[in-house]
Amino acid sequence: MSSDTSSTLGALMAEAVSALTDAGIENARMDARILLARAAGVDGGRISAWPEDGVATDKAEMFRDMIARRIGHEPIGRILGERDFWRHTFKLSPETLEPRPDSETLVEWAIDFLEDADAPRIVDFGTGTGCLLLSAIGDLPGSTGIGLDLSEGAVACARENARLLELEDQVEFRVSDWDSALGDADRAEGFDLVMSNPPYITADEMNTLSPEVQKFDPRLALTDEGDGLAAYRALSKIAFDLAKPGGFVIYEIGRGQENDVGQLLIEAGFVGVEYREDLNGIVRCVAAKKTRCSVGRCII
């Protein structure tokens, strides 16, 4: 440890917890511990075990800057520049949503659908960080995928995450307005799974979100500025056309949207609509299947 110290681990923790608590930040102690561990370059357990350890001046200043950002409601993931999701850590950018545990429901369901498939192909609309696609691809040997997003910044971030996870040979990311970047070969081969976590928050609900979401998540990825269903209306027919016979579609949805989104999938031609709850017991995903049809009969 450098002799140039401005404080100790214990003193910095106490200072930060007090400041965060006074600012009304929930989980002040946990947030302070995560940020101090990163700034000081130590394991979180060391903060409690050796609070008398000194912290170099530059690291203490970095930590205080992090705490100031958290007092301004910047999320921990934004401050760190990354967020753990599923089995990996994903880099973030200002153009991407911060991955959340609720979305792991979609990944788990995707893997359930495809774990016995031979070299399944996946397309992910509104891919953001690529967390959904890369998490599924990483758990499905032989799988490949395409991630699409309207934002160039999001696509750049997703490509970097693929590189860091050593999955760039199995996925590609393209800037696309819905399916505009898919070529004839992509469409001819089709996909075993079409998935998306689109903007589903209504315009009225935006004002009820936490400052962490309103100020730091990209609005374009949160809301359609309407009833929250515009993306599902646009995507469901596209999804049906892209899905292979016997393939699936899975969407993440907002609270209370399951019936409306399920009906849109039925109208697009899908069958067997199902729903799955997240860890909080809220219906978080809707899925459906495209039938395998031959002359005179269809096999679901």
Side-chain angles (χ1 to χ4, degrees), residues 69 72-75 78 93-94 96 211-218:
R69 292 168 66 182
H73 292 282
E74 186 169 355
R78 298 287 179 192
S93 81
T96 64
E212 283 80 356
V213 175
Q214 288 195 54
K215 293 172 64 177
F216 296 99
D217 273 333

Side-chain angles (χ1 to χ4, degrees), residues 200-251:
Y200 56 69
I201 298 170
T202 69
D204 291 340
E205 290 171 332
M206 285 296 295
N207 292 329
T208 70
L209 301 180
S210 70
E212 283 80 356
V213 175
Q214 288 195 54
K215 293 172 64 177
F216 296 99
D217 273 333
R219 190 177 180 96
L220 182 66
L222 292 171
T223 181
D224 60 5
E225 306 295 350
D227 65 358
L229 298 172
Y232 305 110
R233 295 189 187 99
L235 187 54
S236 292
K237 182 61 169 64
I238 294 171
F240 186 81
D241 291 341
L242 292 175
K244 294 179 180 179
F248 299 92
V249 59
I250 307 177
Y251 295 142

Side-chain angles (χ1 to χ4, degrees), residues 110-121:
I111 293 168
D112 288 347
F113 278 139
L114 299 178
E115 60 186 350
D116 295 326
D118 181 26
R121 298 184 75 236

Side-chain angles (χ1 to χ4, degrees), residues 70-177:
R70 186 69 191 102
I71 288 171
H73 292 282
E74 186 169 355
I76 292 289
R78 298 287 179 192
I79 297 169
L80 298 179
E82 61 188 27
R83 176 71 182 260
D84 290 341
F85 180 84
W86 197 245
R87 308 185 199 283
H88 310 290
T89 300
F90 290 89
K91 297 293 184 183
L92 307 178
S93 81
E95 296 85 5
T96 64
L97 289 178
E98 187 175 347
R100 293 170 172 81
D102 291 345
S103 298
E104 292 185 351
T105 306
L106 191 154
V107 175
E108 182 179 39
W109 210 359
I111 293 168
D112 288 347
F113 278 139
L114 299 178
E115 60 186 350
D116 295 326
D118 181 26
R121 298 184 75 236
I122 305 172
V123 61
D124 178 25
F125 285 88
T127 197
T129 61
C131 66
L132 300 179
L133 180 60
L134 292 168
S135 295
I137 292 291
D139 273 26
L140 293 167
S143 60
T144 57
I146 299 174
L148 306 172
D149 202 291
L150 187 62
S151 165
E152 293 183 9
V155 167
C157 181
R159 286 172 178 160
E160 175 65 3
N161 282 321
R163 184 189 68 80
L164 293 170
L165 297 176
E166 299 181 349
L167 291 172
E168 65 265 48
D169 290 341
Q170 292 173 253
V171 298
E172 58 179 304
F173 294 99
R174 305 175 186 172
V175 177
S176 185
D177 184 0

Side-chain angles (χ1 to χ4, degrees), residues 266-300:
I266 291 170
E267 291 172 2
F270 288 100
V271 299
V273 176
E274 301 178 57
Y275 307 99
R276 184 169 288 195
E277 297 178 348
D278 62 21
L279 294 175
N280 295 313
I282 298 169
V283 175
R284 184 57 59 191
C285 292
V286 57
K289 189 172 185 179
K290 183 174 179 176
T291 59
R292 291 188 178 93
C293 291
S294 59
V295 177
R297 66 188 184 100
C298 287
I299 303 171
I300 294 177

